[in-house]
Amino acid sequence: MGPHSWLCQLCLVLPWVLCQGKSRTQPEQVHLSYPGDPTAMTVTWTTFDPASSIVEFGPEPSRVFTSSAKGHASRFVDGGWLHRSMFIHRVTLQGLAPGQRYAYRCGSPLGWSRPYSFRALQNGTDWSPRLAVFGDMGNVNPQSLPRLQRDTEQRMYDVILHVGDFAYDMDECNAMVGDAFMRKIEPVAASVPYMTCPGNHEEKYNFSNYRARFSMPGDTEGLWYSWDIGPAHVISFSTEVYFYLNYGRHLVQEQYQWLERDLQEATRPDRRRRRPWIITMGHRPMYCSNNDLDDCTEHESIIRRGLPQHLYGLEDLFYKYGVDLELWAHEHSYERLWPVYNYKVYNGSAKSPYTNPRAPVHIITGSAGCRERLDPFVPNPREWSALRIEDYGYTRLQILNRSHIWLEQVSDDQDGKVVDGIWLIKELHGPKAWH
């Protein structure tokens, strides 16, 4: 056991032992997720002994809990040497009024959480969702988290997108690092739907901590799923199935086939008219200009081109169905690409590159803060790289309407300064927009 492991045990096991007097049925690690229905919201939390799964809630501003909902708990046993077990509770609130704020608490007569509040998502397509987007946030050095928490308290976001890599790592110290991170993110994640995708740092024990702790839509334990918000269709998927083939090569094929079916459905003319924006989120990017040996630095990157013989490559698939915006992380930096396909730039025009672009737009936003610090860039930007920023920070995204999206990058190093901002404007969506 190396020095880092001993430090881990000292910092995490000792407090765990000292806190055994605390009720093991007290809820912690509370977080929300959106099940895909604007009249519903899922609440997830953890206890360390069995307890009922109850959420009491009521419309604000009264803060009186006029309703209650019951759910279920699943026992999760971590794969570490302690084989620690915990109980993950899930309750989906039904019958919410879209756009209404609700106060809630979760737990059981054996212990209740502190009260939180959230706003049910609005219904339909004629509203302007506001999202915070980031990846690669750790329990150590989560530099952007205090600012994100302040933003959340000011009700700046409707949804949070965490594009892979949590805690660094959730499994470490017998999953106590995962517990510590989920406690740390709770003030944000218990107030706004916290939507996730897996990254490479979730790999241990076949992504078991990721699959157990989160409650995403669909039936794949959050590995891949999709949902609608306002005038957009959002697709979350696992880039990791391409790299950890020991967990099953069939997962690459299953996910790819699911992606194609989902894209076919999302691009049906009646659906694309109502929700023209298609946005993807996956952890490892197709392109990047960082000074490391990651897959995105390779010309034939696996995510872009697929497994050997170009099997299940995602660039052609996303281009075929006219994906508008691709959100990535993994690189601990911010990089905005010109509209690009197969290494060729397809700007809308020299003056307005993001107005009617003829290829998807890629944003890499993995600088939220973790123990691995920031990733440098190669000295000279690639011709498809529009802007590179090596600051801690995160991205804000507003889907204004069917034709306009606003994207901006917040630098935590520069005291919250907005260091990048673009309008993505499209009069046409789908593959016909490329021609």
Side-chain angles (χ1 to χ4, degrees):
M1 185 179 289
H4 179 266
S5 297
W6 281 113
L7 181 62
C8 173
Q9 301 303 325
L10 180 64
C11 293
L12 290 167
V13 176
L14 184 58
W16 177 67
V17 170
L18 294 175
C19 289
Q20 288 307 289
K22 179 183 175 182
S23 171
R24 289 170 56 84
T25 54
Q26 179 67 33
E28 59 173 64
Q29 308 174 43
V30 181
H31 53 285
L32 301 173
S33 56
Y34 178 60
D37 176 355
T39 68
M41 190 70 73
T42 298
V43 186
T44 305
W45 70 94
T46 298
T47 63
F48 296 99
D49 275 339
S52 300
S53 306
I54 304 170
V55 176
E56 297 182 339
F57 63 103
E60 288 195 320
S62 69
R63 283 201 171 260
V64 174
F65 302 129
T66 55
S67 303
S68 68
K70 294 184 178 180
H72 66 277
S74 304
R75 184 169 181 257
F76 169 59
V77 180
D78 175 62
W81 61 272
L82 278 180
H83 298 294
R84 289 178 66 237
S85 68
M86 61 192 76
F87 295 86
I88 312 295
H89 301 256
R90 294 177 171 88
V91 176
T92 297
L93 312 185
Q94 307 277 4
L96 304 178
Q100 171 68 50
R101 288 200 69 85
Y102 290 86
Y104 76 98
R105 68 174 185 172
C106 60
S108 73
L110 299 177
W112 292 99
S113 72
R114 55 151 282 192
Y116 283 105
S117 70
F118 68 87
R119 183 188 188 209
L121 292 191
Q122 295 185 52
N123 201 359
T125 61
D126 294 323
W127 64 287
S128 302
R130 304 158 304 159
L131 299 87
V133 187
F134 59 86
D136 303 77
M137 180 182 282
N139 187 50
V140 174
N141 188 37
Q143 183 165 323
S144 299
L145 183 55
R147 192 171 305 280
L148 279 162
Q149 186 172 336
R150 289 195 294 274
D151 286 357
T152 302
E153 289 166 354
Q154 294 169 22
R155 301 181 179 177
M156 290 180 63
Y157 307 121
D158 298 295
V159 173
I160 304 288
L161 305 183
H162 190 145
V163 193
D165 279 7
F166 307 77
Y168 284 73
D169 293 348
M170 282 188 162
D171 65 276
E172 285 195 2
C173 299
N174 295 281
M176 292 180 204
V177 170
D179 292 339
F181 176 79
M182 294 306 295
R183 292 185 199 108
K184 196 167 283 187
I185 199 74
E186 179 177 312
V188 171
S191 305
V192 182
Y194 182 59
M195 309 301 282
T196 63
C197 70
N200 55 297
H201 280 269
E202 286 68 72
E203 174 270 334
K204 202 69 175 288
Y205 316 123
N206 194 7
F207 298 85
S208 63
N209 270 269
Y210 174 85
R211 290 159 48 212
R213 291 177 186 269
F214 297 114
S215 307
M216 297 299 114
D219 58 1
T220 66
E221 297 179 303
L223 295 180
W224 55 84
Y225 61 93
S226 66
W227 51 290
D228 296 328
I229 183 169
H233 180 67
V234 181
I235 301 172
S236 174
F237 65 96
S238 173
T239 56
E240 303 315 298
V241 296
Y242 288 85
F243 296 91
Y244 297 104
L245 298 176
N246 51 308
Y247 294 130
R249 187 185 177 96
H250 66 282
L251 293 173
V252 182
Q253 181 181 21
E254 286 178 19
Q255 176 177 257
Y256 185 91
Q257 291 173 343
W258 175 87
L259 282 167
E260 181 142 42
R261 289 194 302 272
D262 190 80
L263 286 163
Q264 286 171 346
E265 175 66 18
T267 53
R268 276 189 9 231
D270 58 326
R271 276 190 57 94
R272 198 86 193 237
R273 274 193 300 272
R274 296 189 68 240
R275 290 191 165 91
W277 295 105
I278 296 182
I279 300 170
T280 62
M281 57 182 274
H283 182 62
R284 301 196 207 204
M286 295 182 191
Y287 299 86
C288 69
S289 63
N290 295 85
N291 192 11
D292 53 36
L293 299 176
D294 286 346
D295 177 62
C296 53
T297 66
E298 300 289 336
H299 190 273
E300 296 286 286
S301 68
I302 293 171
I303 298 304
R304 192 177 79 83
R305 298 293 279 159
L307 299 179
Q309 285 79 54
H310 296 161
L311 292 174
Y312 312 119
L314 294 179
E315 185 173 44
D316 284 347
L317 180 70
F318 291 171
Y319 184 81
K320 176 182 176 182
Y321 290 98
V323 169
D324 300 289
L325 178 62
E326 303 181 24
L327 303 172
W328 312 95
H330 191 59
E331 303 303 321
H332 302 165
S333 52
Y334 170 79
E335 187 165 16
R336 167 167 54 83
L337 276 55
W338 299 119
V340 63
Y341 171 68
N342 196 25
Y343 284 96
K344 186 174 179 181
V345 171
Y346 289 93
N347 289 345
S349 67
K351 183 179 178 181
S352 303
Y354 297 101
T355 298
N356 297 320
R358 291 172 294 122
V361 174
H362 296 243
I363 300 289
I364 304 164
T365 177
S367 58
C370 67
R371 71 186 183 201
E372 295 180 357
R373 309 295 168 177
L374 296 170
D375 289 339
F377 291 104
V378 295
N380 298 314
R382 311 302 191 203
E383 60 277 6
W384 37 260
S385 180
L387 183 69
R388 312 183 304 174
I389 297 173
E390 198 178 332
D391 284 0
Y392 289 109
Y394 52 93
T395 304
R396 294 178 182 143
L397 185 162
Q398 183 171 18
I399 308 164
L400 194 69
N401 53 36
R402 289 175 175 80
S403 58
H404 288 65
I405 281 179
W406 172 252
L407 287 150
E408 66 183 28
Q409 181 68 8
V410 178
S411 169
D412 193 76
D413 287 340
Q414 299 184 50
D415 197 29
K417 179 181 178 182
V418 174
V419 290
D420 185 33
I422 64 161
W423 281 106
L424 174 56
I425 301 172
K426 298 191 72 170
E427 295 165 358
L428 284 177
H429 294 267
K432 60 182 179 291
W434 307 149
H435 306 292

